[in-house]
Amino acid sequence: MKAEQTAGPSRRQVLAGGTLAAGAMALGGCGEEAMAGELGGADWQRGHLLRDRRFPEPQGPVEEIDVVIAGGGAAGLAAGWRLAEAGFDRFTLFELEDRTGGNARHGRNAVSAYPLGAHYLPVPNREATALRRMLGQFGMMTGERDGVPVYDPYQLCADLEERLLWRGRWQEGLFPNSGVTAADRAQHAAFERRMADLRKAVGSDGRPAFAIPMALSSADPAFRALDGMNFAQWLDGEHFTSPVLRAYLRYCCRDDYGSEPEHVSAWAGIHYFAGRRGWASDGDGDRELTWPEGNGRLVSLMAGWIAPYLKPAHSVFRVEPDGDGALVDLFDHAARRSRRLRARAVIMAMPHFVAARVAPKFVAKFAPKFAGEDAMSYAPWVVANVTVGRHPEGKGVSLAWDNVSTASESLGYVVATHQSEASDGGPTVLTWYLPLSKEKPEAARKIMMTRPLREWQRIVRDDLLGMNPDLDGAIERIDVWRWGHAMIRPTPGFLSDPARGAAIAARPPVLFAHSDMSGLSLFEEAHYRGVVAAEAALAHLGLPFESLA
């Protein structure tokens, strides 16, 4: 795991409430009965077939198609949604996995649906026009009041939204509200004021300094210069050195980016706080939309919208130029055979380290840096879904949707049934998150993939019992899901990275659509990139449409 922050005291000294120490991460005693549960993750075997180029050559005639979408995560599904929304149906989306959804996928058991990755969507900004259109179609926006969107209250996160375990007691919110010094409080208040000012800031080009989608942010050098340093350096320079504040900001960086503040661009670190200006009536702009299955609700609805055009269990393994179009080779995992398509346009809705292997001629043309997997780095995550026979309790405020402990290296847990049931204290599923951020991603992936299920279950169990001793005897099952390349890391310099810029500048017949292009692994960013690529494909085909981007 990665080193402690170098500025100020260590996390152990800072939080003064204990840590997820070695004992909590240890294996536990011998002779314990095995815990029920499964070890899952992205299909690495299919991924390695692509990495090692071990697909058979296509047989049979070349099939003609207008648009291929290669990848069924949020960006690919958004591209398909946009094409269908424009009345275009001459496309097919191919997805390597047996299910679409990417890192927004979900699972389900007898107790509840639950997320396997992303678990909420903040109320979108005014500038997120395409996303707001889609949320209206899905019934999440129910209308307008004085021209301002109204959101379905049953899909907005119910109270209590967040609680923090601080020095043995649960409190509301994620920043300690007791037992901190006046200096800590003053720095926290100053940081909040600074972020509020930056949230309102406008660049010399008339754009907001920080926007979502991030492509609509100002290009003013005064703001873009923040990308030349890491977030920790910026905090040091601004004298935000309070250990309690820095621990909170570390949590925020790991929560959205899977990375330590030292590895996050200062621009991205500030964007976390200054980029969101949710646009909603009734004071709901700063709230979240969430569901038992998390963002699995969104990707399932998108998949349902374009169901006739989805082909899961198909690996697109080669894309090559062919006149003014492209040849697409894919492998059908059910039929165990390869096919070749000739497409007028291809939307590469996959991480760029994968795109580099699938379409090297297009990637190399626009971005020589994409020649290998190290062009961009990705944060590994572990997500565990823990079925318990009764709700967690604890001293202080009652159970919230999101529950975080200052004494843990994990990000705590969300309660899958928070939105879907009365608070009867019965069985529920707790979704537990751990970004492996303290070691280099390659080393963290090796640890993640070689650690057996039982060891992960012990780590998760001990961490949960450290937060909630009242769950002793109530844990019935722990299912562990591993994301080796969960999200792009917005490291310093990502805004001017030539690989990212080249992917954005790509023109048909091959277009790129993924949150990697934003450098921020957010649902809003994936959706925007998918919509932009779909509209570029429509324009390439000469079809009329009214832009939503």
Side-chain angles (χ1 to χ4, degrees):
M1 304 290 278
K2 188 167 166 266
E4 299 280 356
Q5 294 183 21
T6 56
S10 71
R11 184 174 175 86
R12 181 184 301 273
Q13 295 167 322
V14 166
L15 297 178
T19 62
L20 183 65
M25 300 293 282
L27 291 182
C30 298
E32 295 178 356
E33 293 185 7
M35 171 72 67
E38 296 181 356
L39 186 63
D43 195 323
W44 61 268
Q45 292 176 319
R46 291 180 186 175
H48 286 183
L49 285 174
L50 176 61
R51 182 195 68 185
D52 301 335
R53 308 182 192 281
R54 290 191 282 117
F55 293 105
E57 288 300 309
Q59 302 295 322
V62 176
E63 305 167 41
E64 302 289 337
I65 188 170
D66 279 352
V67 178
V68 165
I69 302 173
L77 291 170
W81 167 81
R82 182 65 186 100
L83 292 176
E85 208 267 347
F88 180 79
D89 61 2
R90 300 191 303 275
F91 72 92
T92 302
L93 184 155
F94 297 101
E95 163 59 33
L96 174 150
E97 302 273 356
D98 291 332
R99 294 170 54 202
T100 56
N103 64 12
R105 276 181 288 174
H106 71 282
R108 182 181 297 272
N109 63 19
V111 174
S112 178
Y114 49 78
L116 296 173
H119 59 281
Y120 70 99
L121 174 68
V123 167
N125 288 8
R126 188 170 189 163
E127 61 263 27
T129 52
L131 179 56
R132 289 191 291 104
R133 168 81 71 91
M134 189 184 79
L135 295 180
Q137 291 172 344
F138 291 168
M140 294 163 188
M141 280 172 44
T142 59
E144 293 184 349
R145 183 176 297 115
D146 299 325
V148 181
V150 176
Y151 284 85
D152 179 0
Y154 293 101
Q155 300 190 61
L156 292 168
C157 186
D159 288 336
L160 183 66
E161 293 186 12
E162 300 165 330
R163 68 173 182 169
L164 178 73
L165 183 60
W166 166 250
R167 296 186 174 180
R169 290 188 65 85
W170 291 99
Q171 58 148 67
E172 186 173 357
L174 294 180
F175 188 84
N177 57 29
S178 64
V180 296
T181 67
D184 291 328
R185 291 184 184 279
Q187 280 202 28
H188 181 239
F191 179 82
E192 292 290 310
R193 289 194 298 271
R194 186 67 181 279
M195 294 302 106
D197 290 342
L198 287 168
R199 199 174 298 121
K200 299 173 186 175
V202 176
S204 57
D205 52 8
R207 290 185 169 192
F210 301 91
I212 299 176
M214 60 83 65
L216 306 182
S217 301
S218 175
D220 190 323
F223 299 116
R224 291 298 175 108
L226 293 164
D227 189 45
M229 68 183 82
N230 68 51
F231 190 40
Q233 290 170 331
W234 183 83
L235 292 169
D236 288 342
E238 298 296 316
H239 307 293
F240 291 122
T241 56
S242 158
V244 178
L245 175 62
R246 294 294 281 263
Y248 165 66
L249 298 177
R250 176 180 182 246
Y251 163 84
C252 294
C253 286
R254 297 176 74 230
D255 181 49
D256 248 28
Y257 306 135
S259 302
E260 302 287 332
E262 293 86 352
H263 291 168
V264 169
S265 158
W267 190 94
I270 294 169
H271 183 276
Y272 177 97
F273 300 94
R276 297 205 181 280
R277 294 176 300 280
W279 190 45
S281 61
D282 304 321
D284 288 334
D286 61 351
R287 297 183 66 187
E288 298 86 19
L289 292 153
T290 190
W291 308 270
E293 66 270 43
N295 287 4
R297 175 71 60 92
L298 294 169
V299 294
S300 294
L301 288 168
M302 285 195 289
W305 188 274
I306 59 171
Y309 316 112
L310 297 182
K311 295 290 184 183
H314 283 72
S315 293
V316 173
F317 64 87
R318 185 187 298 129
V319 176
E320 294 187 339
D322 182 58
D324 60 355
L327 294 176
V328 179
D329 291 343
L330 58 93
F331 182 74
D332 181 336
H333 290 276
R336 306 301 298 171
R337 68 183 184 92
S338 297
R339 298 158 52 198
R340 173 164 290 179
L341 313 179
R342 181 181 290 111
R344 297 174 67 188
V346 180
I347 297 174
M348 303 288 290
M350 56 181 65
H352 271 71
F353 78 93
V354 179
R357 294 187 177 277
V358 174
K361 293 181 181 178
F362 289 98
V363 170
K365 177 180 178 182
F366 296 114
K369 188 178 178 184
F370 278 169
E373 286 189 8
D374 296 328
M376 298 181 180
S377 64
Y378 296 80
W381 283 66
V382 174
V383 181
N385 280 284
V386 185
T387 305
V388 294
R390 57 178 179 267
H391 280 44
E393 297 178 356
K395 297 178 181 178
V397 300
S398 60
L399 184 66
W401 165 65
D402 190 9
N403 304 266
V404 178
S405 171
T406 58
S408 173
E409 278 293 306
S410 79
L411 299 181
Y413 59 88
V414 297
V415 181
T417 56
H418 184 74
Q419 300 290 101
S420 61
E421 62 163 9
S423 183
D424 60 3
T428 189
V429 178
L430 311 178
T431 306
W432 177 95
Y433 292 89
L434 176 68
L436 302 180
S437 61
K438 294 183 77 175
E439 298 196 2
K440 290 183 178 180
E442 297 80 2
R445 274 190 285 276
K446 184 175 181 180
I447 292 171
M448 182 186 71
M449 295 304 294
T450 56
R451 183 171 282 162
L453 171 62
R454 192 173 182 191
E455 187 172 348
W456 276 121
Q457 289 176 322
R458 287 171 175 165
I459 290 169
V460 176
R461 179 204 61 196
D462 290 350
D463 190 43
L464 275 178
L465 292 180
M467 295 184 230
N468 285 97
D470 52 285
L471 288 178
D472 191 17
I475 298 175
E476 299 173 354
R477 180 183 180 94
I478 301 177
D479 295 293
V480 177
W481 192 272
R482 302 165 297 176
W483 293 106
H485 298 81
M487 58 173 60
I488 190 75
R489 302 165 75 223
T491 54
F494 84 98
L495 287 179
S496 58
D497 179 62
R500 195 182 74 88
I504 292 170
R507 295 295 178 264
V510 172
L511 300 154
F512 296 92
H514 197 272
S515 59
D516 282 8
M517 297 166 65
S518 297
L520 309 174
S521 185
L522 307 176
F523 184 90
E524 302 98 307
E525 298 296 339
H527 190 272
Y528 174 79
R529 298 298 176 182
V531 167
V532 168
E535 293 188 349
L538 290 170
H540 177 63
L541 298 177
L543 300 173
F545 65 93
E546 181 180 349
S547 178
L548 299 179

